[in-house]
Amino acid sequence: MTTPTAGWAPRAALDTLKARADLYRAVRVFFDARQVLEVDTPVLSRHATVDRHIDSFSTADARGWLQTSPEFAMKRLLCAGSGAIWQMAKVFRAEEAGRFHNPEFTLLEWYRVGFDHHALMNEVEALLRAAGVTGPTFARMSYGEAFDRHAGIDPFTASVDALKALPEAEAFADETDRDVLLDLWMSHRVGPRLGRGTPCFVHDFPASQAALSRVVDGRAQRFELFWEGLELANGFWELSDAGEQHRRFTGEQAWRAARGLPVPPLDAHLIAALDHGLPDCAGVALGLDRLLMRLLHLESLGEVLAFPADRA
Amino acid sequence: MASVSTNEMKSGTKVLIDGDPYAVLENEYRKPGKGQATNSLRVRNLKTGRVLEKTLRSGDSWEVADIEETDMQYLYNDGEFWHFMNPASFEQMQAGQSAVEDAAKWIKGEETCRVMLFNGVPLYVNAPNTVELQIVETDPGVRGDTSGGGGKPATLETGAVVRVPLFVQQGELVKVDTRTGDYMGRVGK
């Protein structure tokens, strides 16, 4: 095309943009064959996620928020009786920029009524096959097994002091939240070793990291997919208890408030919808940009984006 | 004191860690989708050259190190300090032994050097990339050798020792690359 160094020029090669179009086509064909309904929900909302580690962009008048995932709106559709649904959504996360992050990216998110998270893992694997991933059956291991194998610690019983023994935890000497410390182990030790050669699902997270998943026997019914050390997807056997969801939201808001972080308004529409009734379902969000990057053996997310943040 | 946040740190950013000035070499952002974000910084200590890796909570900051780089003319060495002058303001500054550790053997006076100042004091002096210096001592070469292969040691007027081709003689002026210490050629021949 043109000089890739010029600021106006696309960062991704033309062949990469064609591969992206092929991926989008494969996704449409996949869900069409499975009779999953494609939906479209607003990018701009009056509510936002209150997740302690996910920061939303707000509009200048502070009355609107850009979605960090289409999850809440899609669950409202499920509560209204949509049945299985999917969409490819542009999502936005403030403060996220780096080799594997861009503040705006594309999530493929879908929900399956009557599935649990293990059934959904099967479907995630089938989708990646349809997208061109070859090789043996994807590995599956629990969060505890992943830590045992790659860090030699038990994430459920290790003391806070033991978790702080990680050199990368030096700046976290005052940290009291063990999940923050577990996240450090995940991003610096365990995660980079997952899914080498063959993609790997990690499931059964600590209950304290349940997010929007249900908790059974003290384990969050949640999974993540890693490929060559990179997190590609996060899925839940979805929590349907409105009261519990409301408690989790207010808990996250309190955590944010205590640390002086912005506290967005929780999504009252979602709580009301859950109160109306969410069918038993599992859902997953998969980063399409990262999947494309791994499929094409590229080294950074910017290489699969026409215009990454520094050129957008 | 100005500070710089993890999302503003890039290669070349000068920061202050435990009172020492460092240059950021690399900044890697990591974040589990639903977890704590960190930035891992590879930084080089500008005093010692030592490279460290430090991981910060994303959004945390370091103080900015007061580092300035300026061209100065080398004047003379008084036995303890090396004296430099800003050619624009004629302001003079003295640099200690540690700052000129690498440059001292290449400069004799009047050269323009890139000087890094930390809190206004010379921290590191870069010799010019190439210098022209006279050979004060070398063995007589073997007549007829023009290949440059092998070579012999030659002591320059500043005390530096470089390898020169056998045909290069004592008293000659030679050009040397100070970054590699390599002989580049004879001057005026």
Side-chain angles (χ1 to χ4, degrees):
Chain A
M1 275 191 286
T2 47
T3 347
T5 47
W8 64 266
R11 173 79 193 283
L14 185 55
D15 280 348
T16 303
L17 299 180
K18 287 176 177 168
R20 178 181 285 272
D22 289 341
L23 176 61
Y24 284 11
R25 194 175 307 112
V27 167
R28 285 221 156 75
V29 167
F30 180 85
F31 286 115
D32 200 40
R34 290 171 182 242
Q35 295 178 311
V36 180
L37 179 69
E38 182 171 5
V39 296
D40 192 0
T41 54
V43 163
L44 181 63
S45 167
R46 280 185 287 142
H47 307 107
T49 183
V50 292
D51 189 298
R52 60 184 66 178
H53 295 303
I54 300 180
D55 292 315
S56 304
F57 286 100
S58 61
T59 57
D61 63 9
R63 286 158 59 183
W65 303 81
L66 291 178
Q67 69 176 353
T68 59
S69 104
E71 177 161 13
F72 298 169
M74 290 181 82
K75 282 185 174 167
R76 287 163 63 192
L77 291 177
L78 287 156
C79 292
S82 66
I85 50 175
W86 75 277
Q87 78 169 307
M88 257 188 271
K90 291 294 181 193
V91 300
F92 305 84
R93 296 186 185 182
E95 309 297 335
E96 297 193 10
R99 190 172 152 207
F100 301 126
H101 294 82
N102 194 62
E104 173 179 350
F105 60 103
T106 305
L107 269 186
L108 168 61
E109 184 146 335
W110 77 96
Y111 291 84
R112 286 298 226 150
V113 175
F115 279 35
D116 67 7
H117 56 303
H118 283 283
L120 190 57
M121 284 183 235
N122 295 339
E123 189 160 66
V124 170
E125 183 165 349
L127 177 102
L128 263 64
R129 298 294 181 201
V133 179
T134 55
T137 304
F138 294 3
R140 289 187 197 195
M141 67 177 77
S142 70
Y143 187 89
E145 286 167 339
F147 271 70
D148 180 51
R149 188 172 303 184
H150 299 297
I153 59 169
D154 182 334
F156 299 100
T157 61
S159 69
V160 165
D161 283 344
L163 294 177
K164 284 182 185 172
L166 187 72
E168 287 84 354
E170 186 193 348
F172 291 79
D174 300 332
E175 187 56 65
T176 54
D177 183 337
R178 56 183 293 125
D179 288 308
V180 165
L181 299 170
L182 288 172
D183 288 340
L184 299 184
W185 284 85
M186 185 52 113
S187 52
H188 292 274
R189 288 289 181 282
V190 181
R193 292 169 173 80
L194 292 172
R196 292 284 167 196
T198 304
C200 173
F201 290 105
V202 176
H203 55 84
D204 284 7
F205 278 64
S208 48
Q209 296 180 25
L212 282 80
S213 66
R214 62 181 74 186
V215 174
V216 177
D217 295 334
R219 297 287 182 268
Q221 305 300 291
R222 170 183 164 194
F223 68 90
E224 285 185 346
L225 175 65
F226 288 82
W227 190 13
E228 298 297 344
L230 188 62
E231 180 191 333
L232 291 187
N234 179 78
F236 301 138
W237 191 12
E238 301 291 348
L239 177 68
S240 56
D241 180 334
E244 170 64 13
Q245 186 63 69
H246 191 261
R247 273 192 295 281
R248 288 189 196 174
F249 276 169
T250 52
E252 295 293 279
Q253 285 183 317
W255 194 92
R256 287 186 148 268
R259 291 175 188 230
L261 298 169
V263 184
L266 62 81
D267 193 336
H269 287 317
L270 175 65
I271 301 296
L274 294 178
D275 207 33
H276 177 76
L278 178 74
D280 201 30
C281 67
V284 61
L286 188 151
L288 280 185
D289 311 293
R290 285 186 176 182
L291 173 59
L292 186 61
M293 188 189 127
R294 281 290 180 253
L295 281 168
L296 300 178
H297 306 291
L298 296 175
E299 295 298 315
S300 67
L301 204 68
E303 293 169 74
V304 301
L305 300 171
F307 302 110
D310 61 348
R311 297 181 187 207
Chain B
M1 194 59 138
S3 64
V4 58
S5 164
T6 51
N7 57 18
E8 300 161 331
M9 293 176 194
K10 47 181 187 267
S11 178
T13 303
K14 308 294 194 300
V15 296
L16 204 56
I17 306 172
D18 300 331
D20 272 357
Y22 285 80
V24 172
L25 304 175
E26 279 172 44
N27 179 0
E28 176 136 23
Y29 176 81
R30 298 179 194 222
K31 182 184 185 304
K34 297 201 174 286
Q36 174 68 49
T38 57
N39 288 69
S40 291
L41 287 308
R42 265 167 49 79
V43 292
R44 194 182 68 239
N45 186 314
L46 294 173
K47 282 184 175 168
T48 65
R50 234 178 108 223
V51 173
L52 300 180
E53 186 147 322
K54 292 266 186 189
T55 296
L56 294 185
R57 191 187 298 267
S58 294
D60 279 0
S61 53
W62 273 325
E63 276 183 26
V64 176
D66 176 10
I67 292 283
E68 188 192 347
E69 286 191 87
T70 181
D71 285 332
M72 300 191 93
Q73 193 181 35
Y74 172 50
L75 301 177
Y76 63 95
N77 168 18
D78 66 11
E80 187 179 3
F81 293 105
W82 279 255
H83 294 260
F84 292 83
M85 181 181 73
N86 180 326
S89 66
F90 305 111
E91 182 193 3
Q92 291 193 20
M93 277 183 187
Q94 53 184 35
Q97 171 68 41
S98 63
V100 294
E101 204 169 351
D102 297 327
K105 65 177 176 181
W106 302 116
I107 53 178
K108 59 175 183 176
E110 299 197 358
E111 294 89 349
T112 298
C113 298
R114 193 85 181 147
V115 179
M116 183 187 284
L117 304 174
F118 173 46
N119 294 331
V121 176
L123 179 70
Y124 187 80
V125 176
N126 279 293
N129 289 344
T130 61
V131 289
E132 292 176 1
L133 295 167
Q134 194 175 30
I135 295 176
V136 294
E137 192 186 345
T138 190
D139 289 340
V142 179
R143 187 165 290 279
D145 180 291
T146 54
S147 70
K152 60 182 180 181
T155 304
L156 308 179
E157 58 187 305
T158 54
V161 178
V162 296
R163 286 199 79 76
V164 299
L166 298 177
F167 59 80
V168 177
Q169 300 302 323
Q170 194 164 308
E172 286 195 273
L173 201 58
V174 294
K175 189 172 182 178
V176 179
D177 186 324
T178 63
R179 293 160 295 185
T180 58
D182 289 344
Y183 162 88
M184 298 171 73
R186 290 186 286 181
V187 178
K189 294 257 172 172

